[in-house]
């Protein structure tokens, strides 16, 4: 077990980590003596190793050496040590930070590498691959500590029946992916690496055509299960099962909106059928009929026009690529164990894979999935003015507030 793998700073967890490391060292070194020395010699050696070590708990009835015998497995030794630690110093008595932001992932700068704008494969990933603890093996106390540091607790919690029957959650129920094989509940948000995650989830699920993104994004062909796929009873069972890991990845609304604009209205030609589709979804089909215009006659959309029109739309009417993230994943009503950030995608995605017991995998780079990045980070200063930033801040105020993104310009220079 290695809680510090996930960035835990809690004193108790850190202390337990050092104990586990000492146990491994004692066990490995004692194995050599077991083949060369008598049982009496081994007991004396263990006592010498532990009697002056303050990091190991000493039972009231004897020395630390009496609590750590080579014949015990690592798990048995660990359990004895944790029991002794709990007796001497209860976990709840340790100082616990109570003002942790609900979504505070890794304290990585917003300019950190991302799956959509740069490759995420590199040394930072390798640095978090050592002996992680898996979600399904955590007890409820460990999960709660993790959730406080990395998760999100909704103000109100809805049941599976409500998710399926309430019209407010119609889009959410069609969006959230459930993987029974991986014990994973994942809400994909467009422009936040969701193509890469669908690619990877389908790969781990065993689909032979996992590299085909056209299939991955087609609900009728991708073979994935969604909340809408379940009966109310089965969905309640899954949502109440603590061994299922709930995750969502979010992004700074400033760069996400610019990324949507660049990808849908700049990187496509005016006569492209997809450009026409997104223009009609932005303005409404009636707009062009009333003004006796075609999309081609309207011409190239500017970022000012995009921001202005988005600010006039009802969130329910918005295309998923620029709709509020809180609405897309029901963050006001659904709690998540882990809220990763696009700005620290490489590290956060590897945390997730380690938690799922799939640390041997990596989130694929944009070149691997053949997905063209928008270059929103590089283009930020070119497109944004203070006025446009104010409009985006007003339109997506709930995203900024609940996701804890600052209203100031993101630092993209580091």
């Amino acid at each position: 077990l290695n809680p510090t793998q996930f960035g835990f700073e809690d004193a108790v967890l850190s202390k337990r980590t050092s104990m586990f490391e000492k146990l491994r060292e004692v066990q490995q070194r004692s194995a050599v003596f077991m083949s060369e020395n008598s049982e009496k010699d081994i007991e004396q050696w263990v006592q010498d190793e532990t009697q002056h070590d303050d990091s190991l708990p000493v039972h009231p009835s004897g020395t630390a050496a009496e609590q750590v015998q080579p014949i015990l497995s690592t798990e048995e030794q660990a359990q004895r040590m944790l029991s002794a630690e709990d007796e001497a110093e209860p976990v709840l008595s340790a100082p616990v930070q109570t003002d942790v932001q609900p979504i505070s992932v890794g304290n990585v700068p917003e300019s950190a590498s991302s799956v959509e704008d740069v490759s995420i494969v590199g040394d930072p990933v390798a640095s978090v691959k050592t002996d992680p603890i898996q979600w399904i093996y955590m007890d409820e106390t460990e999960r709660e500590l993790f959730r406080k540091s990395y998760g999100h607790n909704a103000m109100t919690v809805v049941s599976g029946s409500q998710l399926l029957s309430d019209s407010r959650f119609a889009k959410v129920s069609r969006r959230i992916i459930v993987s029974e094989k991986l014990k994973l509940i994942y809400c994909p948000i467009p422009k936040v690496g969701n193509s890469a995650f669908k690619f990877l989830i389908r790969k781990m699920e065993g689909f032979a055509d996992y590299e085909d993104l056209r299939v991955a994004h087609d609900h009728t062909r991708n073979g994935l299960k969604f909340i809408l796929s379940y009966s109310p009873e089965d969905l309640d069972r899954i949502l109440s099962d603590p061994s299922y890991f709930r995750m969502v990845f979010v992004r700074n609304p400033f760069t996400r909106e610019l990324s949507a604009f660049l990808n849908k209205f700049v990187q496509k030609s005016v006569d492209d059928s997809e450009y026409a589709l997104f223009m009609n979804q932005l303005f409404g089909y009636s707009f062009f009929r009333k003004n006796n215009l075609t999309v081609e006659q309207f011409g190239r959309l500017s970022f000012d026009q995009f921001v202005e029109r988005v600010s006039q739309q009802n969130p329910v009417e918005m295309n998923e690529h620029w709709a509020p993230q809180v609405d897309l994943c029901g963050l006001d009503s659904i709690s998540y164990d882990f809220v990763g950030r696009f700005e620290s995608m490489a590290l956060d995605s590897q945390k997730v894979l380690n938690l799922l017991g799939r640390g041997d995998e990596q989130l694929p780079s944009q070149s691997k999935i053949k997905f063209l990045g928008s270059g929103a980070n590089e283009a930020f200063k070119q497109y944004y003015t203070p006025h446009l930033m104010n409009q985006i801040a007003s339109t997506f105020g709930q995203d900024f507030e609940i996701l804890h993104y600052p209203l100031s310009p993101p630092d993209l220079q580091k």
Side-chain angles (χ1 to χ4, degrees), residues 27 29-39 42 70-71:
Q27 187 184 40
R29 294 170 64 182
S30 65
V32 176
F33 278 83
M34 289 183 72
S35 63
E36 300 176 357
N37 299 275
S38 66
E39 182 176 349
I42 293 171
I71 60 173

Side-chain angles (χ1 to χ4, degrees), residues 37-45:
N37 299 275
S38 66
E39 182 176 349
K40 183 177 181 180
D41 292 332
I42 293 171
E43 291 176 351
Q44 181 61 48
W45 176 78

Side-chain angles (χ1 to χ4, degrees), residues 3 31 36 94 116 133 148 150 153 183 189 195-196 202 207 221 225 247 253 260 271 276 293 352 360 376 379 381 401:
E36 300 176 357
E116 194 172 42
I133 182 174
K148 284 182 178 179
Y150 297 109
N153 288 316
K183 288 279 190 171
I189 295 179
S195 295
R202 295 188 75 246
F207 292 99
R221 295 194 294 156
K225 285 190 173 182
M247 74 165 190
D271 59 356
L293 275 176
V352 166
D360 56 320
K381 289 186 176 181
E401 179 182 359

Side-chain angles (χ1 to χ4, degrees), residues 191-255:
K191 314 310 300 175
V192 193
N194 89 107
S195 295
F197 273 111
K198 288 179 180 178
F199 175 106
L200 186 56
I201 290 172
R202 295 188 75 246
K203 177 185 178 183
M204 294 189 293
E205 283 271 7
F207 292 99
D209 59 352
Y210 66 87
E211 293 185 335
D212 192 335
L213 285 185
R214 292 172 300 178
V215 175
H217 289 301
D218 187 341
H219 284 205
T220 64
R221 295 194 294 156
N222 61 22
L224 297 174
K225 285 190 173 182
F226 300 83
I227 280 182
L228 199 60
S229 309
Y230 292 89
S231 67
E233 295 76 21
D234 286 340
L235 185 57
D236 282 330
R237 172 181 55 80
I238 289 173
L239 293 178
S240 62
D241 186 342
S243 67
Y244 273 84
F245 181 63
R246 305 185 191 188
M247 74 165 190
V248 61
F249 274 73
V250 299
R251 184 176 185 176
N252 188 307
F254 287 133
T255 55

Side-chain angles (χ1 to χ4, degrees), residues 385-398:
T385 65
H387 173 68
L388 293 177
M389 288 186 65
N390 286 335
Q391 281 188 286
I392 291 294
S394 176
T395 303
F396 297 94
Q398 197 175 26

Side-chain angles (χ1 to χ4, degrees), residues 85-224:
E85 177 74 357
D86 289 341
E87 292 176 18
E89 181 181 30
V91 171
L92 294 179
S93 68
V96 177
Q97 188 174 356
T98 58
D99 58 347
V100 175
Q101 293 294 337
I103 305 174
S104 177
V105 183
N107 295 321
V108 178
E110 294 182 359
S111 57
S113 61
S114 63
V115 66
E116 194 172 42
D117 294 323
V118 297
S119 171
I120 66 166
V121 179
D123 293 339
V125 175
S127 68
V128 295
K129 277 189 158 183
T130 56
D131 194 25
I133 182 174
Q134 295 179 34
W135 183 259
I136 60 173
Y137 298 129
M138 287 185 183
D139 60 32
E140 191 50 43
T141 299
E142 291 168 327
R143 287 175 179 150
E144 185 59 29
L145 283 171
F146 184 91
R147 198 177 293 116
K148 284 182 178 179
S149 294
Y150 297 109
H152 166 73
N153 288 316
M155 297 297 293
T156 58
V157 179
V158 297
S159 66
S161 300
Q162 287 176 290
L163 285 174
L164 294 173
S165 61
D166 194 323
S167 60
R168 294 177 300 163
F169 305 112
K171 289 185 177 181
V172 175
S173 62
R174 291 195 298 268
R175 171 169 303 282
I176 296 181
I177 296 170
V178 178
S179 171
E180 295 184 43
K181 179 177 182 179
L182 300 174
K183 288 279 190 171
L184 173 67
I185 297 174
Y186 165 58
C187 183
I189 295 179
K191 314 310 300 175
V192 193
N194 89 107
S195 295
F197 273 111
K198 288 179 180 178
F199 175 106
L200 186 56
I201 290 172
R202 295 188 75 246
K203 177 185 178 183
M204 294 189 293
E205 283 271 7
F207 292 99
D209 59 352
Y210 66 87
E211 293 185 335
D212 192 335
L213 285 185
R214 292 172 300 178
V215 175
H217 289 301
D218 187 341
H219 284 205
T220 64
R221 295 194 294 156
N222 61 22
L224 297 174

Side-chain angles (χ1 to χ4, degrees), residues 254-266:
F254 287 133
T255 55
R256 179 172 178 264
E257 294 306 305
L258 179 56
S259 179
F261 168 75
L262 294 173
N263 183 236
K264 304 306 178 187
F265 300 104
V266 174

